[in-house]
Amino acid sequence: MGYAPVNGLRMYYEIHGPNGSDHPPLVLLHGALSATETSFGALLPALAKDRPVIAVEQQAHGRTADIDRPLRDVQMAADTAGLLDQLRIRRADLMGYHMGAGIAVQVAHSRPDLVRKLVLISLVTQPEGFQEGVREALALITPDLLEGSPFAEEFARLAPDPTAWPRTVERVKEWDAHFVPTPPEVLRGIQAPAMVVAGDADIVRPEHTAELYGLLGGEMADRRGELPRSRMCVVPGASHASVVARTDVLLPVIPPFLDAPV
């Protein structure tokens, strides 16, 4: 556990798992209004049994304090890459949840040298990829509405300034209001194999998840039965909040995907 100075941030990270593992590091990138525990608390212990896992907390989230700049995927990707450079991580697998998935895509686009494989949970790259009404609902969220939620409680417990929660909520609302679509050609250009994951009752339209799978290299198996480099996993009976807790579905598919040869 520690902090690293990155692009004006005092960025928090923690490392789990065995020393000397043959597996490449797995970097966890949490969702908006969340931090490591609320995004990956269910998955992290099992993932770290046989591989190093680096959990990163972004600006204004978890133990990383806010600074005077807006939240943008491109900037958070630069922060993440800068942290990995400081840790002397030459190549890693990235697993992101919603906001974190967008960050992972940007790292893979801007720093392909760093990224071996991607696990992208609840990724949305176009405004029409959201279910109807989702973004309108987010615009109406207030700190009072989130009082008592796991996200607010996690922030109060971990943040350098627990009174900054209203500011983080406004940061996230402003981030969503300035949503920047990812062009299809950027996704097609990503060479890292990707597993695209979403719940069947997620905030992401299932059609969008299927489209992302195709853009990231998913296709029909060839005549010899050879599978494409990427994978798709739709978790049955899972909402946006619960998809990352479905260890019964995710643990049988994510580690084998990561462990397969590139």
Side-chain angles (χ1 to χ4, degrees), residues 154-177:
E154 180 185 49
F155 190 92
R157 188 172 67 255
L158 301 180
D161 178 8
T163 68
W165 175 241
R167 179 64 170 168
T168 290
V169 173
E170 289 305 311
R171 285 284 196 212
V172 169
K173 291 169 65 175
E174 194 269 348
W175 162 77
D176 183 72

Side-chain angles (χ1 to χ4, degrees), residues 94-107:
L94 271 56
M95 183 163 79
Y97 172 43
H98 192 45
M99 182 180 80
I103 295 168
V105 165
Q106 292 299 327
V107 176

Side-chain angles (χ1 to χ4, degrees), residues 16-260:
H16 302 260
N19 293 322
S21 170
D22 292 333
H23 294 283
L26 173 63
V27 179
L28 302 183
L29 303 170
H30 60 75
L33 296 176
S34 183
T36 300
E37 181 181 323
T38 49
S39 283
F40 298 114
L43 290 168
L44 195 158
L47 292 172
K49 280 183 177 178
D50 60 356
R51 75 186 71 240
V53 175
I54 304 170
V56 181
E57 293 180 350
Q58 304 291 336
Q59 174 189 339
H61 287 76
R63 300 167 182 84
T64 301
D66 198 6
I67 61 174
D68 188 18
R69 69 178 191 193
L71 297 182
R72 295 292 184 269
D73 287 358
V74 170
Q75 180 61 64
M76 291 185 283
D79 297 339
T80 300
L83 174 64
L84 295 180
D85 286 340
Q86 287 202 36
L87 296 177
R88 299 183 180 180
I89 304 296
R90 298 181 62 184
R91 198 160 175 82
D93 299 329
L94 271 56
M95 183 163 79
Y97 172 43
H98 192 45
M99 182 180 80
I103 295 168
V105 165
Q106 292 299 327
V107 176
H109 171 59
S110 62
R111 290 289 307 275
D113 58 299
L114 276 177
V115 181
R116 175 180 170 270
K117 289 188 178 184
L118 295 163
V119 179
L120 305 170
I121 304 173
S122 300
L123 174 64
V124 183
T125 64
Q126 300 293 329
E128 57 271 21
F130 287 97
Q131 296 279 12
E132 185 176 355
V134 167
R135 298 188 67 206
E136 291 81 0
L138 179 58
L140 298 175
I141 285 178
T142 65
D144 288 344
L145 286 175
L146 294 169
E147 185 176 354
S149 70
F151 312 107
E153 291 177 353
E154 180 185 49
F155 190 92
R157 188 172 67 255
L158 301 180
D161 178 8
T163 68
W165 175 241
R167 179 64 170 168
T168 290
V169 173
E170 289 305 311
R171 285 284 196 212
V172 169
K173 291 169 65 175
E174 194 269 348
W175 162 77
D176 183 72
H178 291 80
F179 181 89
V180 178
T182 303
E185 56 268 25
V186 167
L187 296 170
R188 291 192 191 98
I190 290 174
Q191 295 303 305
M195 171 172 280
V196 185
V197 179
D200 58 359
D202 211 320
I203 63 173
V204 188
R205 294 172 58 245
E207 299 89 342
H208 187 63
T209 298
E211 180 184 12
L212 293 173
Y213 169 65
L215 291 170
L216 289 163
E219 59 185 0
M220 184 177 68
D222 66 18
R223 288 179 296 177
R224 296 174 298 172
E226 293 289 333
L227 295 171
R229 59 188 172 91
S230 293
R231 301 283 183 271
M232 180 171 64
C233 175
V234 177
V235 182
S239 68
H240 184 62
S242 68
V243 63
V244 285
R246 288 294 301 277
T247 56
D248 59 321
V249 176
L250 298 180
L251 289 177
V253 296
I254 291 176
F257 168 72
L258 295 176
D259 294 345

